Amino acid sequence: MADITAAMVKELRQATDAPMMDCKKALVESDGDMQKATEWLKERGIAQSAKKADRVAAEGLVGFKLADDFSQATIVEINSETDFVAQNEGFKNLVLKTTEEIYSTSPADVESLKATSFGSYFAESVAKIGEKIDIRRFATLKADDETVALNGYIHSNNRIAVIVLAKCDSKKTAEGLVPTLKNIAMHASAMKPTTLSYKDFDAEFVESETKGRIEALKKENEELARLKKPLKNIPQFISMMQLSDEVLAKAEADIKAALKEQGKPEQIWDKIVPGQLARFIDDNTTLDKEQALLDQTYVLDDKLTVAQAVEKAAKDLGGTAEIVDFVRFEVGEGIEKKVDDFAAEVAAQMG
């Protein structure tokens, strides 16, 4: 007889929305086999007790399909309520077929896809699985010109996928750049960029982030001072968007004034100023390095940004290239998950 734990009961309850005591009974009857316990509940109609529309689907998988000739790639996020269902072969097969359908037919949006005959197949499959399942989003990028390079990557857990597109000077450069773009896609899967360039940021967002980060650093420095540890530098800015010509001119003037005060000979300033100005820019673009793909430090060479890494790879091929688009999906990002108070529920049941 299998040992039925509270964690097993919780998992089955999340998967079926059946009452807790029925979940425990189903597990006992099925000797701890989760799949059999689910079927046991369904056979008795217990698993259908809740309205699916009221539940939150925040688990799931990402589907990914890449053309053999790197001319097109599609990624799809399909959400389930529980990771238990996401690992079900029926769910995995549904993700695969949905990805292939979107790759082949290029629907305009989710509603357009659901309005086709495939939409009926999807609804029938969801009914068989017995849990709320949503097609949350999808994207397809195409290398529809011979000077465009494309590649992508899906992480081994099938929860993160990325497509990257680059415009090149020639077909030769585009073909040669394909392996580099897979590395860039892997970089993006790990480093979580939210936009291509700092130029895409909203000015109000940058202003709000600046205030918040400065206040956070001030509080952190208060604690460091209390511990008598070195304080962190508090930047004036956080994005290249804020570093206007006037700001950079003032920074350069401040550097020269400091060099003069230090008694450094003016004839060597031109050797010192560029490095210190680069350090100023580096210190004042933390948001870009965190969230803008092109401005992030490349994980395979920390001396380069992603933009510089692509530029170097293209130069080695005898050409030029720049990333012009990318898509990154991670399962559940941005979805507010419902957190069940399992202890309170147990107490209520026992009472």
Side-chain angles (χ1 to χ4, degrees):
M1 176 69 69
D3 184 22
I4 308 304
T5 66
M8 292 168 66
V9 174
K10 180 181 179 182
E11 182 179 342
L12 185 59
R13 172 164 169 69
Q14 288 176 334
T16 64
D17 212 49
M20 185 187 69
M21 299 310 292
D22 287 321
C23 288
K24 182 175 181 181
K25 185 175 181 180
L27 286 164
V28 171
E29 292 292 331
S30 307
D31 200 26
D33 186 307
M34 199 66 65
Q35 189 66 42
K36 289 180 180 178
T38 301
E39 292 302 318
W40 189 92
L41 289 167
K42 285 183 179 179
E43 287 170 5
R44 288 156 181 78
I46 299 171
Q48 307 300 326
S49 60
K51 294 180 180 178
K52 294 178 186 176
D54 293 334
R55 307 182 205 155
V56 177
E59 296 295 335
L61 297 173
V62 169
F64 174 74
K65 184 173 176 64
L66 175 67
D68 292 338
D69 62 356
F70 304 101
S71 62
Q72 177 179 328
T74 294
I75 54 177
V76 183
E77 179 184 356
I78 299 183
N79 299 127
S80 60
E81 293 177 77
T82 62
D83 186 55
F84 172 69
V85 163
Q87 301 309 315
N88 178 284
E89 287 304 316
F91 183 83
K92 290 179 180 179
N93 189 53
L94 183 59
V95 172
L96 177 64
K97 287 186 179 297
T98 305
T99 305
E100 290 177 344
E101 177 71 14
I102 292 169
Y103 177 92
S104 301
T105 64
S106 299
D109 50 37
V110 173
E111 292 308 311
S112 299
L113 177 64
K114 288 184 176 179
T116 66
S117 58
F118 181 84
S120 298
Y121 161 78
F122 187 89
E124 290 169 5
S125 299
V126 170
K128 289 178 183 177
I129 293 171
E131 181 170 299
K132 182 181 178 183
I133 293 171
D134 292 330
I135 303 173
R136 184 185 182 198
R137 53 184 174 167
F138 60 81
T140 296
L141 295 184
K142 298 181 179 181
D144 48 12
D145 183 288
E146 65 178 12
T147 62
V148 173
L150 177 149
N151 209 339
Y153 167 77
I154 183 166
H155 195 56
S156 58
N157 63 4
N158 292 321
R159 291 177 61 89
I160 305 172
V162 182
I163 311 172
V164 181
L165 200 69
K167 186 75 175 75
C168 307
D169 67 310
S170 68
K171 181 180 180 181
K172 173 180 174 290
T173 304
E175 290 176 344
L177 199 66
V178 166
T180 296
L181 292 189
K182 180 171 184 180
N183 289 336
I184 300 298
M186 293 175 72
H187 163 101
S189 75
M191 301 311 293
K192 302 184 177 183
T194 60
T195 190
L196 182 63
S197 164
Y198 73 86
K199 296 174 185 176
D200 302 321
F201 288 135
D202 178 77
E204 290 184 5
F205 166 71
V206 173
E207 183 180 354
S208 174
E209 278 288 305
T210 303
K211 292 177 181 176
R213 289 172 184 235
I214 288 175
E215 286 306 310
L217 280 171
K218 284 180 179 177
K219 288 181 180 178
E220 192 173 343
N221 276 347
E222 288 176 6
E223 179 63 13
L224 290 172
R226 188 183 70 80
L227 298 172
K228 297 182 179 178
K229 291 184 177 181
L231 303 185
K232 289 189 176 182
N233 177 49
I234 298 179
Q236 298 171 260
F237 311 102
I238 62 171
S239 175
M240 196 70 198
M241 175 184 280
Q242 301 165 304
L243 304 187
S244 63
D245 291 343
E246 291 78 10
V247 168
L248 292 175
K250 183 180 183 304
E252 184 173 346
D254 290 344
I255 291 168
K256 289 179 178 178
L259 291 174
K260 184 176 182 180
E261 188 175 334
Q262 293 165 16
K264 300 287 185 183
E266 194 167 338
Q267 57 266 33
I268 67 167
W269 286 6
D270 61 340
K271 296 179 181 178
I272 301 173
V273 171
Q276 293 201 8
L277 190 59
R279 176 62 187 273
F280 172 83
I281 293 172
D282 189 61
D283 287 345
N284 287 274
T285 53
T286 54
L287 180 66
D288 304 350
K289 288 181 286 187
E290 287 177 18
Q291 296 191 24
L293 176 61
L294 296 179
D295 304 300
Q296 289 182 329
T297 300
Y298 187 38
V299 292
L300 295 182
D301 186 344
D302 61 10
K303 295 182 176 63
L304 301 174
T305 64
V306 168
Q308 291 168 341
V310 172
E311 183 181 348
K312 179 179 182 299
K315 186 177 180 181
D316 292 344
L317 293 165
T320 60
E322 64 172 331
I323 296 174
V324 293
D325 201 1
F326 86 102
V327 181
R328 180 187 185 276
F329 286 176
E330 181 170 355
V331 170
E333 60 186 349
I335 299 177
E336 186 175 342
K337 299 182 182 180
K338 178 184 176 184
V339 180
D340 293 323
D341 189 341
F342 191 62
E345 187 178 346
V346 171
Q349 292 277 354
M350 302 256 324

